[in-house]
Amino acid sequence: MFRRRDAAEGEEPDYRFTLANERTFLAWIRTSLALVAGAVAVLHLVPLDWRAELKLVVGLALTALAVIITIYAPVRWVRVQRAMRLGQPLPMSALPVITTIGIAIVCVAVLLGNYWR
C-alpha cells in the first residue's frame, strides 16, 4: 500500500495539508467505531421490540459498513498523500457515497423495525 519509495517520491507537501489528511483519516476511523458501537447496541444492549431477523440485518449492515470504511480509509489516506507529494489533483473518494447509501439503508430498516412487528 504505502512503500518507503512513495514517501521519497515528489516534494514534501505543506505539513498543514498532511495533518488535514490525517485528521480526515481519523474521522473516518471514528465513524467506523461509532457504527460498530451502534451494531453492538442494536444486537445486544438496547431492548428493541423488533423481529429478530430485522435486528440482525441492521446490526450486520452497520458492521459491514464499519468494515468497508476501516478498509477504505487508509487506502484513501495513502492516495491523497501521494497525490499531494506529486502535485496532482486529489483523487475522488467513493467513501462518502458508500457511507450515505449504507446509512440510508439502515435508516429504512430502523423505520421498518418500528412499524413492522
Side-chain angles (χ1 to χ4, degrees), residues 4-19:
R4 187 172 279 291
R5 68 180 162 92
D6 289 338
E9 195 175 25
E11 296 180 14
E12 185 67 28
D14 186 329
Y15 71 91
R16 293 172 293 183
F17 300 124
T18 298
L19 293 174

Side-chain angles (χ1 to χ4, degrees), residues 32-108:
S32 179
L33 286 170
L35 290 168
V36 170
V40 169
V42 166
L43 292 173
H44 301 290
L45 300 176
V46 179
L48 298 170
D49 188 23
W50 291 0
R51 291 181 175 211
E53 303 86 17
L54 192 57
K55 284 172 64 170
L56 185 62
V57 166
V58 170
L60 290 178
L62 290 170
T63 303
L65 194 53
V67 168
I68 290 168
I69 291 171
T70 301
I71 291 169
Y72 194 71
V75 172
R76 182 193 178 283
W77 177 81
V78 168
R79 289 178 63 208
V80 168
Q81 198 65 28
R82 188 164 194 275
M84 287 191 303
R85 292 190 73 79
L86 298 176
Q88 298 173 342
L90 296 181
M92 293 294 292
S93 175
L95 207 46
V97 174
I98 292 168
T99 304
T100 301
I101 292 169
I103 295 297
I105 291 169
V106 169
C107 288
V108 168

